[in-house]
Amino acid sequence: MKVFRSGKKVAICLMIALLTGSLPNVGEDVNLSGVLVVSAAPSTQEKIEQLEKDKLALQEKDKENDKTLSGLKGEAKELQKELDELNSQMQEVVERLTDLEEQIMTKESEISDATVNLEDAQGIEEWYYRYMIEKARYMYENKEKSYLNALLKERNLSKVLNTADYIEKVAAYDRQVMDEYTSYRMACEEMEAKLQVEREELEVLKSQTKEEEAKIDELISKVKASLNKYKGQISDAEKRAKEYEEELKKAEKDLKYLKKKLEEEMALSQLAANSTWRDISQVTFAEGDRKLMANIIYCEAGGEPYEGKLAVGSVIMNRVLSSRYPDTVTGVVYQKSQFSPASSGRLALALASDKATAACYQAADEAMGGKTNVGTCVYFRRPVEGLTGITIGGHIFY
């Protein structure tokens, strides 16, 4: 085979080919260098093998994605736990702040009362002090009427003693009253000072609590940001899981590959129909079987009419009853390479948030109660050429 390196030579080559009728046949090509390349069309078996390899590669990617998704959900769960704890701490701080503010308001009210009392005490003390000064001045200026003159003029000793005693008692009383007013005023000053100190201490506590609140609020913001980041990554992983599942479904749509698989499935379906079947009364259901059944129905027939949902549930129960398949709902649903949502991870996502509708649960209950609308069918799929069976909605059951 000769290679023509210039565009001109390629054109000459093509012209000769046109004149001689030797254009490339199917499976032949001419590359940009002018080289005539002959490539044999891949055989059906090679296509099937390549499709199997592509499918395995997709499954490996899907498993890796599931692993990543599981790790992301674990991290998100821990972050949510941390966020809940921070919110609890924040609630406690807010309650403390509210209590401190109430204490400060009470303390301010007490300080206000103490200030009024102090002002009253100071006023009384000052008044009484002025009263004693005025009294002393009066006695000095009115000597004739003063107690001293009266005492000096008195000739009777008994009366002198009585007068002196009276004067002493009056002076003592004045001193006592003045001391009491002074003590009361000092007590009011001490109380006001004490209340001011207590208020300042409360303000310090309030300031510290505010700082703690700010720190917790900052932590909450950071955790929320991280949690939102993980939620975004989880959403991306879930989207990839859906895409992998769709790609796996597309890979299975190769007609030649499906025909080969269908032949095996039809043989297994016939074998199952002719095998030993248990009675529904012999089936023991596990605690989570109802939820599992409803969610696999949701994944496989969520957009189908109710009869389509019941038909999917019937297929699962037919396998449980057949001796050719596992004898539990869990065993049937998770049997290798049987239900694509179970292997792609979409079923796990549905179970995590229980996406099954009321209709899915109703169909699950009826199927698990022994009702079937597809006879002994143990397979279903989208319609393909050459496949016959019971058609319900967008599926054929066989």
Side-chain angles (χ1 to χ4, degrees):
M1 186 179 297
K2 189 174 182 180
V3 179
F4 298 92
R5 299 193 178 278
S6 68
K8 188 174 181 180
K9 290 182 179 180
V10 172
I12 294 171
C13 179
L14 289 174
M15 186 177 292
I16 293 171
L18 284 169
L19 292 173
T20 59
S22 58
L23 284 173
N25 297 319
V26 177
E28 298 178 341
D29 195 7
V30 178
N31 66 17
L32 294 178
S33 300
V35 178
L36 186 64
V37 179
V38 181
S39 58
S43 67
T44 301
Q45 183 60 37
E46 288 173 336
K47 288 182 178 179
I48 292 173
E49 290 175 356
Q50 185 58 49
L51 187 60
E52 287 283 3
K53 289 179 181 178
D54 293 342
K55 182 181 175 182
L56 287 172
L58 282 171
Q59 288 174 337
E60 286 301 317
K61 288 182 180 179
D62 188 46
K63 287 179 182 178
E64 189 63 30
N65 187 63
D66 281 348
K67 185 178 178 181
T68 301
L69 182 59
S70 177
L72 289 171
K73 285 185 174 180
E75 291 291 339
K77 185 177 180 181
E78 289 300 317
L79 282 172
Q80 186 62 55
K81 182 179 178 182
E82 183 178 352
L83 181 61
D84 292 341
E85 291 175 354
L86 286 171
N87 282 328
S88 178
Q89 291 177 26
M90 178 63 82
Q91 181 63 32
E92 292 176 2
V93 168
V94 170
E95 290 174 357
R96 290 209 309 274
L97 274 175
T98 302
D99 182 61
L100 284 170
E101 287 171 352
E102 289 176 355
Q103 290 184 51
I104 289 171
M105 289 177 63
T106 301
K107 197 63 65 178
E108 288 174 344
S109 177
E110 291 174 354
I111 290 172
S112 178
D113 293 341
T115 301
V116 170
N117 291 338
L118 177 59
E119 290 172 353
D120 290 342
Q122 288 172 338
I124 293 172
E125 183 185 32
E126 290 172 2
W127 176 85
Y128 202 79
Y129 182 75
R130 288 195 301 271
Y131 162 76
M132 291 179 67
I133 291 174
E134 289 298 324
K135 184 177 180 180
R137 182 183 295 116
Y138 175 82
M139 291 176 65
Y140 178 79
E141 292 175 350
N142 298 276
K143 294 180 180 179
E144 292 298 320
K145 295 180 181 180
S146 68
Y147 293 124
L148 181 59
N149 285 337
L151 184 62
L152 293 174
K153 290 179 180 180
E154 186 61 60
R155 302 298 181 184
N156 188 300
L157 181 59
S158 176
K159 289 183 178 181
V160 169
L161 292 174
N162 287 336
T163 301
D165 183 62
Y166 175 75
I167 292 172
E168 186 179 348
K169 286 181 177 178
V170 169
Y173 174 77
D174 285 341
R175 284 195 301 272
Q176 180 182 348
V177 171
M178 189 63 191
D179 289 342
E180 288 176 355
Y181 285 152
T182 301
S183 297
Y184 179 66
R185 187 260 305 162
M186 292 176 64
C188 289
E189 288 179 345
E190 290 174 359
M191 177 56 71
E192 184 187 44
K194 179 175 178 292
L195 291 172
Q196 289 286 3
V197 170
E198 291 175 352
R199 183 187 181 283
E200 289 172 1
E201 290 174 349
L202 288 172
E203 287 290 353
V204 171
L205 284 175
K206 180 182 177 181
S207 177
Q208 292 173 346
T209 307
K210 279 282 187 182
E211 291 176 0
E212 184 180 355
E213 181 187 38
K215 288 179 181 178
I216 294 175
D217 187 63
E218 184 180 358
L219 285 173
I220 287 175
S221 297
K222 289 181 179 179
V223 173
K224 279 184 176 179
S226 297
L227 187 57
N228 288 335
K229 179 181 177 182
Y230 277 109
K231 284 181 177 179
Q233 292 175 345
I234 288 171
S235 178
D236 291 341
E238 290 174 343
K239 184 179 179 181
R240 285 196 298 273
K242 177 69 174 176
E243 290 172 352
Y244 287 143
E245 183 181 344
E246 291 300 321
E247 289 178 26
L248 285 168
K249 286 182 178 180
K250 288 178 182 178
E252 290 183 349
K253 285 183 180 179
D254 183 274
L255 186 58
K256 295 184 183 299
Y257 173 77
L258 286 179
K259 282 186 176 181
K260 180 181 179 181
K261 189 173 183 180
L262 285 176
E263 288 175 1
E264 297 172 355
E265 291 177 352
M266 292 296 290
L268 289 172
S269 180
Q270 188 61 42
L271 190 62
N274 297 330
S275 65
T276 304
W277 285 62
R278 294 188 299 163
D279 186 80
I280 192 69
S281 62
Q282 296 175 282
V283 178
T284 301
F285 294 105
E287 182 179 349
D289 282 355
R290 181 173 182 263
K291 180 179 179 182
L292 177 61
M293 176 73 86
N295 278 276
I296 189 63
I297 290 173
Y298 168 83
C299 291
E300 293 285 9
E304 295 293 318
Y306 178 75
E307 291 301 313
K309 293 179 175 64
L310 176 60
V312 170
S314 300
V315 165
I316 294 171
M317 285 309 303
N318 283 344
R319 290 193 180 195
V320 173
L321 296 174
S322 172
S323 61
R324 294 288 176 178
Y325 296 92
D327 59 0
T328 64
V329 172
T330 300
V332 167
V333 171
Y334 289 107
Q335 188 176 12
K336 185 178 180 181
S337 302
Q338 295 302 306
F339 296 94
S340 61
S343 59
S344 70
R346 193 155 67 94
L347 175 59
L349 294 174
L351 285 168
S353 54
D354 195 8
K355 290 187 176 181
T357 62
C360 292
Y361 270 101
Q362 182 182 349
D365 290 337
E366 288 201 273
M368 293 169 74
K371 185 174 181 179
T372 176
N373 60 346
V374 292
T376 59
C377 292
V378 290
Y379 285 98
F380 67 90
R381 67 168 58 254
R382 298 290 178 186
V384 294
E385 183 182 348
L387 178 63
T388 59
I390 302 171
T391 302
I392 300 177
H395 289 129
I396 293 181
F397 297 81
Y398 54 96

